[in-house]
């Protein structure tokens, strides 16, 4: 049976039969264990790269055209080198899947002197909250710098990928996804301070626990969801707190103890958002401590608390996801469960004892089927290296 790599290369050759040489890269998706909606609030988050990838095959061409083809999308993107930077091309790309690799070419600091043929082949589900857009963007940037033999720091590459989300896709996301995807390391979660961009690795004992995602099947699109609204609400809260004398730049500059005072300053909605952000940041540090001491039950409890806060205070959950978390909490061997990613759909992430993974998957699928009359996609994720070159 051909491997995925064989398939990717065959796909590339079929589309670009004249290409003589190619380079092949793999860019992972990410899970976020805990620390949701705080990467744009200066908080600390705990994501990890996973074993679902977007494969990127790229070769040079002599006709000065950038071509983007994907095994997962029918539409083909084509832009001439001469039009690469025009506003017309940018608005043409804006609502297509290839806006991300196209945007990556534009924001990179590479001076192109020839065209490139790109093909993409994904084992990473789109719209499920595993950051397929960050994966393809980081992967394309990595491929470009590697092809041109140009050195770039991981953090700078992550910032360029974030710029693509902001300027080309209109999503004012944080930096977690890009940093997790580029810095991923096997069996290590990344404890990332999103203010300083410093991070350290926290080992995850995969012989004891697994992280299992269940896809609600409700497509979440950050662009259309309330993601940008939440961001604005947090910005409003900061301004109000500044006016009241809090010399902060980010909500995560506040401590849990500040919340008592903050309650008297902020209107209800802004207070709820601030409450989530500040308490979630606190939970990330608690979680890291518990997991390093093998207190899996205590660590798991924090995941439930995170969900509760995302649902009630941050209001980014949906009833189906709340129910999925509830079902998970009734299953033996589940330490914790919560909504993962931007919200308004997407996946839940559950921390499950190794021995209970199969039972968890079967039970949750049954409950889901009964409620929704369809079978959910379930992904048991292993923690893997970040974006890298294969050949
Ligand atoms: C999306 C964004 C991230 C982060 C999460 C919520 O995945 O891309 O930057 O804000 O939502 O934690």
């Amino acid at each position: 049976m051909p491997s995925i790599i064989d398939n990717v290369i065959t796909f590339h050759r079929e589309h670009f039969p004249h290409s003589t040489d190619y380079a092949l890269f793999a860019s992972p998706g990410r899970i976020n264990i805990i620390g949701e909606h705080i990467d744009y609030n200066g908080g600390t988050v705990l994501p990890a790269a996973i074993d679902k990838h977007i494969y990127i095959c790229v070769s040079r061409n002599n006709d000065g055209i950038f071509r983007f083809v994907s095994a997962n999308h029918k539409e083909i993107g084509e832009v001439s080198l001469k039009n690469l930077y025009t506003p017309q091309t940018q608005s043409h790309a804006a609502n297509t899947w290839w806006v991300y690799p196209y945007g990556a070419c534009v924001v990179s600091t590479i001076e192109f002197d020839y065209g490139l043929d790109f093909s993409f082949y994904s084992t990473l589900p789109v719209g499920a909250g595993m950051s397929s857009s960050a994966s393809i963007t980081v992967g394309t940037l990595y491929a470009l710098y590697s092809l041109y033999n140009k050195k770039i720091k991981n953090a700078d590459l992550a910032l360029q990928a974030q710029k693509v989300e902001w300027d080309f896709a209109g999503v004012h996301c944080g930096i977690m996804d890009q940093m997790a995807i580029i810095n991923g390391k096997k069996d290590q979660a990344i404890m990332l301070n999103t203010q300083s961009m410093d991070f350290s690795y926290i080992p995850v004992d995969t012989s004891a626990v697994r992280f299992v995602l269940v896809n609600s099947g409700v497509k979440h699109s950050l662009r259309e969801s309330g993601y940008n609204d939440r961001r604005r609400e947090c910005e409003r809260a900061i301004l109000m707190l500044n006016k009241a004398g809090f010399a902060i730049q980010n909500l995560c500059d506040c401590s849990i103890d500040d919340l008592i005072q903050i309650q008297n300053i902020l209107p209800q909605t802004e207070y709820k958002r601030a409450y989530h952000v500040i308490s979630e940041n606190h939970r990330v540090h608690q979680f890291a401590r518990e997991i390093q001491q093998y207190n899996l039950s205590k660590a798991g409890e924090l995941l439930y608390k995170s969900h509760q806060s995302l649902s009630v205070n941050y209001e980014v959950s949906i009833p189906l996801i709340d129910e999925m978390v509830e079902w998970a909490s009734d299953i033996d061997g589940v330490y914790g469960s919560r909504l993962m990613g931007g919200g308004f759909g997407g996946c839940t992430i559950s921390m499950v004892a190794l021995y209970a993974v199969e039972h968890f998957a079967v039970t949750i699928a049954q409950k889901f089927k009964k409620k929704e009359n369809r079978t959910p996609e379930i992904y048991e994720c292993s923690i893997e290296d970040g974006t890298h070159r294969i050949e």
Side-chain angles (χ1 to χ4, degrees), residues 257-273:
D257 295 338
D258 291 331
L259 278 169
I260 302 165
Q261 228 185 316
I262 289 176
Q263 187 167 20
N264 298 324
I265 300 167
L266 297 180
Q268 203 194 5
T269 301
E270 283 75 9
Y271 175 67
K272 277 162 70 176
R273 307 304 184 240

Side-chain angles (χ1 to χ4, degrees), residues 145-189:
Y145 288 109
S146 160
L147 271 188
Y148 275 79
N149 241 328
K150 223 176 151 180
K151 283 214 162 20
I152 177 166
K153 286 192 190 126
N154 281 358
D156 291 336
L157 190 148
L159 286 167
Q160 288 182 2
Q162 185 192 39
K163 191 170 161 53
V164 173
E165 296 274 1
W166 284 47
D167 297 355
F168 292 76
V171 179
H172 284 183
C173 66
I175 196 67
M176 166 173 77
D177 306 346
Q178 295 76 6
M179 283 293 276
I181 287 165
I182 191 76
N183 292 306
K185 202 170 178 182
K186 184 148 186 64
D187 292 335
Q188 311 279 328

Side-chain angles (χ1 to χ4, degrees), residues 30 32 35-40 131 173-177 222 227 341-342:
R30 66 101 189 90
N32 184 22
E36 216 66 87
H37 283 278
I38 59 172
D39 64 338
Y40 52 89
S131 283
C173 66
I175 196 67
M176 166 173 77
D177 306 346
L222 292 187
Y227 186 90

Side-chain angles (χ1 to χ4, degrees), residues 145-340:
Y145 288 109
S146 160
L147 271 188
Y148 275 79
N149 241 328
K150 223 176 151 180
K151 283 214 162 20
I152 177 166
K153 286 192 190 126
N154 281 358
D156 291 336
L157 190 148
L159 286 167
Q160 288 182 2
Q162 185 192 39
K163 191 170 161 53
V164 173
E165 296 274 1
W166 284 47
D167 297 355
F168 292 76
V171 179
H172 284 183
C173 66
I175 196 67
M176 166 173 77
D177 306 346
Q178 295 76 6
M179 283 293 276
I181 287 165
I182 191 76
N183 292 306
K185 202 170 178 182
K186 184 148 186 64
D187 292 335
Q188 311 279 328
I190 301 167
M191 183 135 175
L192 168 71
N193 178 326
T194 59
Q195 219 172 120
S196 64
M197 302 275 268
D198 291 339
F199 64 89
S200 57
Y201 291 108
I202 307 256
V204 174
D205 183 358
T206 47
S207 65
V209 288
R210 286 292 154 90
F211 292 96
V212 187
L213 309 189
V214 184
N215 192 349
S216 68
V218 178
K219 282 252 171 205
H220 89 138
S221 157
L222 292 187
R223 241 188 286 195
E224 286 143 31
S225 71
Y227 186 90
N228 287 346
D229 295 341
R230 289 295 173 278
R231 211 180 158 121
R232 275 192 292 272
E233 287 160 356
C234 291
E235 281 158 11
R236 264 207 312 272
I238 295 173
L239 285 179
M240 292 175 191
L241 290 172
N242 286 157
K243 267 198 189 142
F246 275 83
I248 54 160
Q249 276 179 328
N250 291 291
L251 282 180
C252 288
D253 294 338
C254 299
S255 72
I256 283 279
D257 295 338
D258 291 331
L259 278 169
I260 302 165
Q261 228 185 316
I262 289 176
Q263 187 167 20
N264 298 324
I265 300 167
L266 297 180
Q268 203 194 5
T269 301
E270 283 75 9
Y271 175 67
K272 277 162 70 176
R273 307 304 184 240
Y275 190 96
H276 167 73
V277 168
I278 296 164
S279 64
E280 182 77 352
N281 193 34
H282 188 68
R283 277 188 288 276
V284 175
H285 293 277
Q286 285 179 304
F287 184 95
R289 269 197 303 277
E290 300 298 357
I291 199 107
Q292 281 172 301
Q293 291 167 11
Y294 292 95
N295 292 331
L296 300 180
S297 302
K298 282 193 178 160
E301 271 308 308
L302 293 160
L303 299 189
Y304 289 127
K305 285 191 178 149
S306 168
H307 181 76
Q308 179 72 7
S309 179
L310 284 162
S311 179
V312 175
N313 300 320
Y314 219 63
E315 296 178 283
V316 289
S317 187
I318 54 172
L320 176 60
I321 297 229
D322 289 343
E323 241 178 313
M324 288 161 66
V325 170
E326 186 86 35
W327 296 334
S329 71
D330 287 338
I331 301 173
D332 188 38
V334 175
Y335 292 111
S337 182
R338 62 177 200 83
L339 160 78
M340 187 185 79

Side-chain angles (χ1 to χ4, degrees), residues 372-385:
E372 291 289 294
N373 208 16
R374 59 191 165 90
T375 309
E377 289 155 10
I378 298 182
Y379 309 96
E380 184 193 336
C381 296
S382 60
I383 296 183
E384 300 293 336
D385 287 339

